[in-house]
Structure formats: structure tokens, C-alpha cells
């Protein structure tokens, strides 16, 4: 049995984002050949259970996000020097400045998922971008195996660093609720994301403000000036429903099941968990036109680059049942073939 220590997440049970959902499902679907150990932030859990999904939980007194993510990951690696796992699975590159030192004193195999080119995101300043880019370069150099969650990122790693890598995406089938059934379709489109400029939130809202088509948009509107400004501008439109974050899986299941189309504006980050989740609902996908999204959907969804594009795409296809059914069934077929957690867990275990 191989002991695998996972570094770089808030922890499990999952209560935050994509990497946390990944770890939750890696442990849920783990084979008898793997024994997981997960580093968790004690600041995110009032109850510190010692084990979850048969994985040992190790708590550290630092935040896993923001500035503290760097010492959090480094402290996790320092702990691994005494734990001596067979494999260290690094999720993200925040603490990879320490990786060269770790490799001097450890024989553990290092597998790193470099995430979605974090240094390119609009939210980071110049210094933070340089730090993250350097961390990425160190991660690629000192890891035994690099995981990219999207072919476009894999191509980037190959071209930028001349390093072979493995493409493993995310599962999305955890969003299918077994408690809710017989949900009828409604007449609205749905968008769901963190309210950040790179997710083209304003582009989507602008498009729907020019039509009579209904949009329900779920996000953390009150977490930034950007979000609050958009909420104030568009909340008066009768066809646009601005909705605060929803974390209940059954409530989200109903929203996703009832919508007539899912609008995905992400322009960065590789394979986006919210996209692969939506693909499991046999729903037409309208995705922002970038290489990440085209790869994830195998170029079979609808695509837009501007508000005008989106308006045209929505109106032209609103009553084209043949095209809508083709896109919807294609998305579901791709999701079942590529984006289930049982498949993803096996792909990770092959690397250990």
C-alpha cells in the first residue's frame, strides 16, 4: 500500500473550491492500494475530525488561501520530511519555492497539479504574478510528474518548459442529487461563478440586458467592488435575477436541472469545475470562446466572444430544437466519458 500525502488545499470535508472537491473524491473513490493523508487548515474547521473517507487528516494552524498559502504549503512539506510518504501530491504551486530544499532531504515521489496558470489571472498584481510564475517554473523542474487539467495547459507546459505532462481533468458527477427527482424544465438560462472580471460576468449581463430572455446568475456579488457595481447596475432588469451564493447541492441541482441553457464565461484556469458539472445535466452550453473551453467541450458547444456574439447565439438557436438537443446530448456524453470522479481517481492512482 502506498502512502500519499496531499498538500495545497483547505482540506476535507470539502467546503471551498475545485481542489477541495478533487481531494474529497480522490479519497472517496480510492482503492485498497492507496492510503491518503490530507493536510487541512485548522482555521477552516471548528470540528477537527481525525479521519474522513478513510484518509488521515493533519491540521495546520495557518490559512490555506491568500498570503498564508505559501507558508501553509511549506509547513506541510516540512511535516512530510518526518512522515516520509511514498508520494507527495501538490495541488497548486504556492509553496513550490521550497520544493528544491524538500527534494534534498526526501525520496518521496512528487506529483504536482500546477492548476490553471494562476499567474495569468487578472486579480494578481505585478509582484504576485512574477512570484507565481517563478513558483510554477520551480514546480515543473523539481516534480517527478506534472499534471495539467486541460490539454491547452499541457501544451503550454510542453512549449514553455519542454516537460512531458499528464492530462487529468475534474469530475462533475458529484453534483447529481439522489434526493431530488422529476424536475421540470423552466424558461431561464443559468450562469454560476465567482464574480471576477476574467469570468466575463459583465459581458454576460450586458448580453441578457439586450434581450427578453431570462437569466439567473449565481455568484459572490458582495465580495468585491466589481461585483457590487454589477449587482447595482443589473438588478433592476426584470429578466435578470441576481442571486447570492448557493452552497446547498440539492438547491443547485434544481437550478441546473430546470435551466434551458448554461452560460459559461470563464476565460482562464484550464478545465473549470463549474463547466464539467454543468455538462452532466444534458443542457446546452454557451461557453466563452477560448482554447480551454473548446478543449473541455470538444468543440461541440455554442461559443461567444462578445456580448453581441452571445445575443446572436442565444436568439438564433432559441427554437432550433435539433441543434439544442445535439449540443445537450454531446455535453452529457463527454461528461460521462471524461468527467466522472471514479475515472479521475483511477487516473491519479496510476501516477503513484
Amino acid at each position: 500500500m502506498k502512502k500519499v500525502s496531499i498538500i495545497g488545499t483547505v482540506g476535507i470535508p470539502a467546503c471551498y473550491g475545485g481542489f477541495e472537491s478533487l481531494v474529497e473524491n480522490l479519497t472517496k473513490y480510492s482503492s485498497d492500494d492507496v492510503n491518503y493523508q490530507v493536510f487541512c487548515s485548522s482555521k477552516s474547521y471548528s470540528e477537527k475530525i481525525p479521519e474522513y473517507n478513510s484518509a488521515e487528516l493533519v491540521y495546520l494552524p495557518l490559512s490555506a488561501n491568500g498570503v498564508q498559502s505559501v507558508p501553509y504549503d511549506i509547513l506541510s512539506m516540512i511535516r512530510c520530511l518526518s512522515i516520509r510518504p511514498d508520494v507527495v501530491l501538490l495541488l497548486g504551486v504556492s509553496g513550490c519555492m521550497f520544493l528544491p530544499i524538500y527534494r534534498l532531504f526526501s525520496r518521496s515521489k512528487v506529483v504536482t497539479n500546477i492548476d490553471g496558470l494562476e499567474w495569468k489571472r487578472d486579480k494578481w498584481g505585478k509582484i504576485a504574478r512574477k512570484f507565481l510564475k517563478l513558483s510554477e517554473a520551480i514546480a515543473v523542474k523539481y516534480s517527478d510528474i506534472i499534471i495539467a487539467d486541460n490539454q491547452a495547459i499541457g501544451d503550454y507546459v510542453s512549449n514553455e518548459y519542454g516537460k512531458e505532462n499528464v492530462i487529468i481533468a475534474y469530475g462533475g458527477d458529484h453534483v447529481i442529487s439522489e434526493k431530488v427527482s422529476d424536475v421540470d424544465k423552466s424558461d431561464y438560462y443559468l450562469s454560476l461563478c465567482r464574480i471576477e472580471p476574467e469570468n466575463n460576468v459583465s459581458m454576460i449581463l450586458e448580453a441578457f440586458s439586450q434581450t427578453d430572455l431570462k437569466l439567473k446568475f449565481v455568484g459572490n456579488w458582495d465580495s468585491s467592488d466589481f461585483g457590487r457595481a454589477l449587482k447595482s447596475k443589473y438588478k433592476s432588469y426584470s429578466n435578470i435575477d441576481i442571486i447570492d451564493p448557493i452552497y446547498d447541492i440539492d438547491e443547485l441541482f434544481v437550478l441546473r436541472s430546470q435551466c434551458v441553457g448554461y452560460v459559461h464565461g470563464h476565460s482562464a484556469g484550464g478545465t473549470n469545475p463549474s463547466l464539467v458539472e454543468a455538462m452532466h445535466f444534458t443542457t446546452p452550453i454557451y461557453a466563452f470562446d477560448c482554447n480551454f473551453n473548446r478543449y473541455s467541450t470538444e468543440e461541440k458547444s455554442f461559443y461567444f466572444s462578445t456580448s453581441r456574439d452571445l445575443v446572436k447565439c442565444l436568439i438564433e438557436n432559441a427554437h432550433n430544437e435539433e441543434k439544442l438537443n445535439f449540443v445537450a446530448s454531446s455535453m452529457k456524453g463527454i461528461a460521462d466519458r471524461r468527467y466522472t470522479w471514479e475515472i479521475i481517481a483511477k487516473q491519479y492512482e496510476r501516477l503513484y
Side-chain angles (χ1 to χ4, degrees):
M1 178 180 287
K2 288 189 176 180
K3 186 168 187 175
V4 180
S5 293
I6 302 180
I7 295 173
T9 75
V10 171
I12 52 176
C15 60
Y16 190 73
F19 272 155
E20 285 71 28
S21 294
L22 169 63
V23 176
E24 172 126 3
N25 286 283
L26 288 181
T27 56
K28 179 179 179 179
Y29 292 101
S30 66
S31 71
D32 293 335
D33 298 325
V34 176
N35 178 22
Y36 280 111
Q37 176 189 66
V38 181
F39 286 93
C40 308
S41 170
S42 62
K43 295 186 177 295
S44 297
Y45 294 96
S46 55
E47 182 184 359
K48 297 169 182 61
I49 58 176
E51 185 179 285
Y52 183 77
N53 283 349
S54 299
E56 177 191 356
L57 306 185
V58 179
Y59 295 90
L60 300 177
L62 294 169
S63 173
N65 295 307
V67 176
Q68 284 195 4
S69 66
V70 177
Y72 176 80
D73 287 2
I74 292 174
L75 181 57
S76 300
M77 280 187 262
I78 291 173
R79 292 288 297 273
C80 282
L81 289 174
S82 59
I83 294 168
R84 297 185 179 180
D86 298 297
V87 180
V88 169
L89 175 58
L90 285 168
L91 300 178
V93 302
S94 295
C96 285
M97 288 289 191
F98 185 74
L99 196 51
I101 299 173
Y102 178 78
R103 296 309 303 262
L104 285 175
F105 300 99
S106 173
R107 294 184 178 179
S108 299
K109 186 176 187 177
V110 176
V111 179
T112 304
N113 183 323
I114 63 169
D115 202 8
L117 308 186
E118 188 71 16
W119 62 274
K120 283 191 171 184
R121 293 183 184 271
D122 294 336
K123 63 182 179 182
W124 300 117
K126 188 175 181 180
I127 294 176
R129 286 188 182 194
K130 286 185 176 181
F131 174 82
L132 290 168
K133 181 65 169 71
L134 180 57
S135 296
E136 174 190 276
I138 292 172
V140 172
K141 182 175 181 179
Y142 288 94
S143 296
D144 294 297
I145 297 175
I146 291 295
I147 298 172
D149 65 30
N150 188 287
Q151 186 63 54
I153 292 178
D155 293 342
Y156 161 81
V157 172
S158 298
N159 295 331
E160 182 79 1
Y161 301 107
K163 176 107 171 183
E164 291 186 3
N165 54 87
V166 180
I167 310 300
I168 307 179
Y170 299 104
D173 50 317
H174 62 286
V175 299
I176 304 300
S177 174
E178 297 178 355
K179 299 178 185 177
V180 184
S181 59
D182 300 324
V183 179
D184 295 326
K185 283 289 182 184
S186 187
D187 59 350
Y188 63 84
Y189 294 82
L190 177 67
S191 194
L192 187 156
C193 68
R194 291 181 187 172
I195 307 305
E196 297 175 351
E198 66 191 25
N199 292 337
N200 290 302
V201 179
S202 58
M203 182 187 298
I204 295 169
L205 289 169
E206 178 62 23
F208 277 88
S209 73
Q210 299 173 26
T211 75
D212 293 325
L213 299 172
K214 295 179 182 178
L215 172 69
K216 291 183 183 291
F217 206 136
V218 182
N220 56 331
W221 302 97
D222 294 324
S223 296
S224 66
D225 291 339
F226 174 74
R228 285 187 288 271
L230 288 176
K231 182 178 182 179
S232 176
K233 180 177 179 179
Y234 289 102
K235 66 181 180 181
S236 61
Y237 286 83
S238 60
N239 65 317
I240 297 177
D241 191 4
I242 302 292
I243 303 173
D244 289 330
I246 297 173
Y247 300 106
D248 183 84
I249 194 110
D250 295 326
E251 189 175 352
L252 284 171
F253 175 80
V254 172
L255 268 179
R256 286 163 159 159
S257 298
Q258 289 183 327
C259 73
V260 294
Y262 180 78
V263 185
H264 184 75
H266 292 58
S267 63
T271 298
N272 304 120
S274 59
L275 175 57
V276 302
E277 289 168 7
M279 291 170 68
H280 278 276
F281 286 84
T282 319
T283 298
I285 302 290
Y286 300 79
F288 180 75
D289 195 354
C290 65
N291 53 1
F292 301 125
N293 293 336
R294 282 189 175 270
Y295 173 76
S296 298
T297 58
E298 297 183 359
E299 303 205 15
K300 291 179 181 176
S301 78
F302 298 110
Y303 302 98
F304 64 92
S305 299
T306 64
S307 293
R308 182 177 295 181
D309 282 348
L310 181 54
V311 170
K312 183 180 179 182
C313 188
L314 290 166
I315 292 175
E316 285 185 352
N317 293 289
H319 303 291
N320 188 342
E321 293 300 324
E322 182 178 354
K323 180 66 173 177
L324 292 170
N325 289 335
F326 169 78
V327 172
S329 61
S330 295
M331 296 302 100
K332 177 60 173 171
I334 295 166
D336 287 343
R337 176 164 38 86
R338 293 172 54 185
Y339 304 131
T340 66
W341 284 116
E342 191 168 1
I343 292 173
I344 301 303
K346 288 178 180 177
Q347 290 176 327
Y348 268 83
E349 289 194 11
R350 289 192 197 109
L351 303 180
Y352 303 153

